[in-house]
Amino acid sequence: MSHRLSDEHEALRKSVEEFARDVVAPQAEHADRTGEFPYDVIRQMGEMGLFGLPFPEEYSGMGGDFLALCLAIEELGRVDSSVAITLEAAVGLGSMPIYRFGTDEQKKEWLPALCRGEALAAFGLTEPGGGSDAGNPRTRAVLDGEEWVINGSKAFITNAGTDISNLVTVLCRTGDRADGKPELTSIMVPLPQPGFSASNKYDKVGWHASDTRQLSFDNCRVPAANVLGDRGRGYAQFLSTLDEGRIAISALAVGLAQGCVDESVRYAKEREAFGAPIGSYQAVAFRIADMETRTYVARCAYRDACDRMLAGEPFKREAAIAKLYSSTIAVDNARDATQVFGGYGFMNEYAVARHWRDAKILEIGEGTSEIQRMLIARDLGL
Amino acid sequence: MNIVVCVKQVPDTWAEKKLSDSDKTVDREGVEGVMNELDEYAVEEALRIKEASGGEVTVLTMGPEKAVETIRKALSMGADQAVHLVDSGLHGSDALTTSYALAKALETIPHDLVILGVESTDARMSVIPAMLAERTGAAQLTFARKVEVGDGTVKIERQTDTGYDVVEAATPAIVSVVEKINEPRYPSFKGIMAAKKKPLTTLTLGDAGIESEKVGLAGSGSSVAEFSARPPKQAGQVVKDEGDGGSKLAEFLASQKLV
Ligand SMILES: Cc1cc2nc3c(=O)[nH]c(=O)nc-3n(C[C@H](O)[C@H](O)[C@H](O)COP(=O)(O)OP(=O)(O)OC[C@H]3O[C@@H](n4cnc5c(N)ncnc54)[C@H](O)[C@@H]3O)c2cc1C
């Protein structure tokens, strides 16, 4: 098992690293402060093909793979989590289910604009009443002639309220199964849509420039043909979407952890106290060495999970481990980086302060740390 | 219009640059190599011309084995093919000998136009474009901030201290570009994958008909006699505004002969 990148993957990583450093990083503080969605950065990412990385060229994709996507997310996450999560959610949650489960027609209709980054798709699973127990939604869809009528609401949904959001796939209860469990179906709701509304942006702790909203469906009608793949497959679809998504979120967490190392190393060489650079004091140097160690191990974990997935091997446990570990160490690194920066680490305009605020959600979104532990324990037969 | 873009690999702009103690040349081994920044603008300009009016873009690089990374980047941006002039005999070449070697290599590539950056970030001599023009007998259009190609002609806006001059010449011509000219693209994954399959020719001194005694350290007309580290940064001068801040600033600038 080797996690050295191929020449092509390394070239892509470098290309995104340069883009992140030259284009994304300079706007990160402004976007964080104002909460403005970074349309211009997203457009340029679209031109670079980042939104089409894991999809075939026939859908305007780049013909790459999931690892290519993870590398792009990791490099963006080093400098700006809001931009990285916008890509992660757009591809991992928005486009991927359409590519995996959609009919030929649905793929042809939706993927090209999504791959070019001209449009964003969202995935609505979580509800105000609960996210961890996602197999039990209250949002209902009832077939009325040739149309689904959707009623209910979804909470904390990424990418559904931007000017270029054109689709949200919603997990709905469409009936009851013989075993008493709800029948769940993913229904594609093109945006805008009568009966659909998105709230104002939430006032969040971090990820300020990422678009997160509550969605309401009030007798929202869409054609019966808008079922993603097959009726009743919603539960299986989102479970498998989330398994993959964990690897991508893990890549984002590793990016943030690395960004904390980058900033800390630079600052520890520059900043002087008691007549010497603070990095010359072991307490600071060892702290940063630990940050680097955790980042390295977390990176190995997500790349291994990704390898297994691409090889068609079982990868659920490894994906859960990667997500759990990398999000934990992202929070650790962000806390340690702010410590290295002293008072400046508590100032919002500093990247490490932003990383600190952006890190916490990684332990919550796409399955909380508790849910990851449940998955791992269950896989161990407990 | 067929275009050759001269592309150089230089030590990472962000890294600390060093000269090697043994032969006083830039230490290229210890640091990561990147494409010379201005050459990215040159590649971009060539690609834009090609996309607008057809033709082929060939990358020409003189440099060690390692420079192939930079060639790949230019190919993944969209250049069609590349020529890599690589020979241990070239090590230590100065501007004069480099221009000779590049001119010889250019003879092996049919072209109408050569585009390059006005300078490289490692040596910063800014003389290669003019020397190349002189050696090849092509027209010299330097410091371009805008390029327009016509039928057998090329017209540029030449950046000057106060504005720009419009300069036009018949091809073949050598054009050097400044960074105002465009915004270079970042290679896409599709471009990176495609680059693998693009033709890359390597030339030795013999292949290009370069006389070995005219290049390298020995063939160079200039040599580095001595070097020392840059002195540490001095503390800046703080001007306190007591109603006369403006004139104090002007005084300072004047004392530095900046205004
Ligand atoms: C910024 C942001 C963006 C998001 N984007 C999206 C999106 O695009 N699409 C989407 O569908 N969702 C999205 N989410 C929702 C996110 O996935 C959920 O918040 C998350 O899954 C947790 O659900 P919850 O908030 O309802 O917490 P709850 O499920 O209510 O959990 C509360 C606490 O209880 C714990 N808990 C729950 N059940 C158990 C158990 N059985 N054993 C032990 N502990 C348990 C949890 O771990 C947690 O600590 C986003 C959230 C945020 C904040």
Side-chain angles (χ1 to χ4, degrees), chain A residues 8-9 11-12 14-15 18-19 21-23 48 53 57 61-64 68, chain B residues 12 14 32-34 40 69 73 76 183 186-193 196:
Chain A
E8 291 73 38
H9 281 106
L12 171 78
K14 236 176 158 164
S15 182
E18 285 173 21
F19 173 77
R21 183 189 67 201
D22 299 344
V23 177
M48 273 176 89
L53 276 174
E57 293 183 30
M62 286 286 125
Chain B
D12 189 348
W14 299 62
E32 207 183 335
V34 298
E40 294 186 10
E69 302 155 11
K73 177 164 182 192
S76 51
E183 203 43 68
Y186 293 86
S188 72
F189 196 62
K190 200 151 75 179
I192 290 165
M193 298 301 283
K196 273 203 303 194

Side-chain angles (χ1 to χ4, degrees), chain B residues 134-195:
Chain B
E134 199 58 31
R135 289 194 185 272
T136 60
Q140 180 192 151
L141 302 169
T142 49
F143 295 92
R145 53 171 236 180
K146 189 175 174 203
V147 178
E148 267 174 63
V149 298
D151 192 15
T153 61
V154 51
K155 185 156 92 175
I156 69 153
E157 287 180 9
R158 182 179 204 273
Q159 181 74 44
T160 67
D161 285 345
T162 47
Y164 65 90
D165 302 326
V166 176
V167 190
E168 186 169 2
T171 56
I174 308 255
V175 174
S176 75
V177 299
V178 297
E179 63 180 25
K180 237 189 212 137
I181 194 160
N182 58 41
E183 203 43 68
R185 68 195 67 186
Y186 293 86
S188 72
F189 196 62
K190 200 151 75 179
I192 290 165
M193 298 301 283

Side-chain angles (χ1 to χ4, degrees), chain A residues 123 125-126 130-132 156-158 207 361 364 366 368 370 374:
Chain A
F123 189 62
L125 186 64
T126 307
S132 301
F156 312 128
I157 305 306
T158 306
W207 284 6
I361 175 61
I364 299 169
E366 297 201 31
T368 63
E370 291 74 18
M374 274 169 53

